[in-house]
């Protein structure tokens, strides 16, 4: 099946610094990628939809200046958590949909962010 | 808005069948999905079903869809300890883009 690679798998950063998370589709092109956030023992909450070559669409309540999304190519989307605070600590997961197949959405392995 | 509900826990013995249930509210859902998440890992797509189907079988997995009642189930035959994980039901939302997830069902398999 299609593979989505997310990097890094885990990161610890100091409060006030910024962290970039990458999401790559390895064997297919993805015009659209999605970024989710998952709190412990909770479901996945959609943060934003990342569109190649255009601005991301953010869900209500998600600060676009806090969570910067860049989708510069058909295989790469990045999420930058700016001026991170401990409350931003969470599990971030991206998914990508194959432009051709359309039906399935494949997920990265997730990034555990801990802000200290 | 769309909503997806699942029971939170299921405990079974190794070798038994597991049935995980899910209900959804969006009658315009086109695809419904089952994902598996192991501790600290991302989501693994197990299977999906198109809304005009009522059953799909894939090896030990059987998906049943009752569109009238907006009820989806995942049956795992001969459940193994390696099946212990959180299982998420998800639907394609009205815009046909992002998936809407349930809260997940934690399946615990004892030997």
């Amino acid at each position: 099946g299609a593979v989505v690679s997310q990097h890094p798998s885990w990161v610890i950063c100091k409060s006030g610094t910024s962290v970039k998370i990458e999401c790559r589709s390895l064997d297919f092109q993805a015009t659209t990628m999605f970024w989710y956030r998952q709190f412990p023992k909770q479901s996945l909450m959609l943060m934003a939809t990342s569109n190649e070559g255009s601005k991301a669409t953010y869900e209500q309540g998600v600060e676009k200046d806090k969570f910067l999304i860049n989708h510069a190519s058909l295989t790469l989307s990045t999420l930058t958590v700016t001026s991170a605070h401990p409350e931003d600590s969470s599990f971030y997961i991206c998914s990508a949909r194959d432009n051709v197949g359309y039906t399935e959405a494949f997920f990265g392995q997730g990034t555990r962010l801990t802000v200290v | 808005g769309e909503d997806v509900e699942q029971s939170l826990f299921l405990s079974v013995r190794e070798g038994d069948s597991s049935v995980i249930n899910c209900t959804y509210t969006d009658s315009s859902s086109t695809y419904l999905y089952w994902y598996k998440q192991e501790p600290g890992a991302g989501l693994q797509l197990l299977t999906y079903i198109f809304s005009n189907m009522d059953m799909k079988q894939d090896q030990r997995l059987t998906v049943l869809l009752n569109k009238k009642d907006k009820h989806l189930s995942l049956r795992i035959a001969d459940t193994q300890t390696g099946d212990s994980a959180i299982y998420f039901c998800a639907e394609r939302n009205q815009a046909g883009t992002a998936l809407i997830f349930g809260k997940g069902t934690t399946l615990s398999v004892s030997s």
Side-chain angles (χ1 to χ4, degrees):
Chain A
V3 178
V4 174
S5 176
Q6 201 172 326
H7 177 80
S9 298
W10 60 270
V11 58
I12 301 173
C13 71
K14 289 187 176 182
S15 190
T17 61
S18 296
V19 173
K20 181 186 283 188
I21 303 169
E22 292 186 348
C23 180
R24 293 181 185 272
S25 56
L26 295 186
D27 53 1
F28 65 98
Q29 293 186 329
T31 302
T32 304
M33 294 186 179
F34 306 96
W35 287 96
Y36 293 84
R37 185 174 179 177
Q38 186 182 30
F39 290 103
K41 301 189 188 302
Q42 299 280 327
S43 185
L44 281 75
M45 300 302 296
L46 178 67
M47 297 175 66
T49 301
S50 171
N51 302 297
E52 187 266 337
S54 65
K55 291 183 180 180
T57 304
Y58 290 82
E59 294 299 299
Q60 193 172 4
V62 178
E63 298 175 59
K64 58 184 176 184
D65 295 330
K66 172 88 175 159
F67 299 99
L68 299 179
I69 291 173
N70 187 319
H71 194 154
S73 77
L74 286 171
T75 58
L76 174 63
S77 175
T78 60
L79 168 69
T80 302
V81 182
T82 63
S83 187
H85 290 285
E87 57 265 31
D88 298 323
S89 298
S90 190
F91 193 57
Y92 294 87
I93 308 179
C94 71
S95 79
R97 197 175 68 220
D98 188 335
N99 284 356
V100 175
Y102 187 74
T103 303
E104 301 176 26
F106 299 96
F107 283 78
Q109 68 269 42
T111 298
R112 170 73 58 195
L113 171 63
T114 303
V115 184
V116 297
Chain B
E2 308 96 348
D3 195 19
V4 179
E5 298 284 341
Q6 298 178 241
S7 53
L8 295 181
F9 298 101
L10 177 64
S11 182
V12 301
R13 288 196 170 195
E14 193 173 20
D16 288 349
S17 292
S18 307
V19 179
I20 303 171
N21 294 301
C22 170
T23 57
Y24 60 98
T25 58
D26 184 3
S27 57
S28 65
S29 295
T30 50
Y31 291 94
L32 295 124
Y33 302 80
W34 284 104
Y35 285 88
K36 176 183 180 182
Q37 185 180 37
E38 297 187 29
L43 272 70
Q44 174 193 354
L45 176 64
L46 290 177
T47 187
Y48 64 92
I49 188 167
F50 188 48
S51 58
N52 69 350
M53 299 169 63
D54 50 24
M55 186 181 91
K56 182 178 180 181
Q57 187 155 3
D58 183 2
Q59 298 182 334
R60 292 192 296 125
L61 305 179
T62 302
V63 178
L64 295 178
L65 174 61
N66 181 328
K67 196 174 180 183
K68 174 175 169 287
D69 294 338
K70 300 192 189 77
H71 182 267
L72 182 74
S73 69
L74 173 70
R75 179 177 180 270
I76 305 172
D78 187 25
T79 313
Q80 302 297 308
T81 54
D83 295 323
S84 295
I86 302 175
Y87 290 80
F88 289 94
C89 168
E91 64 164 353
R92 178 77 64 78
N93 74 358
Q94 292 177 348
T97 55
L99 301 182
I100 307 297
F101 286 85
K103 285 186 166 54
T105 299
T106 298
L107 174 64
S108 175
V109 183
S110 57
S111 56

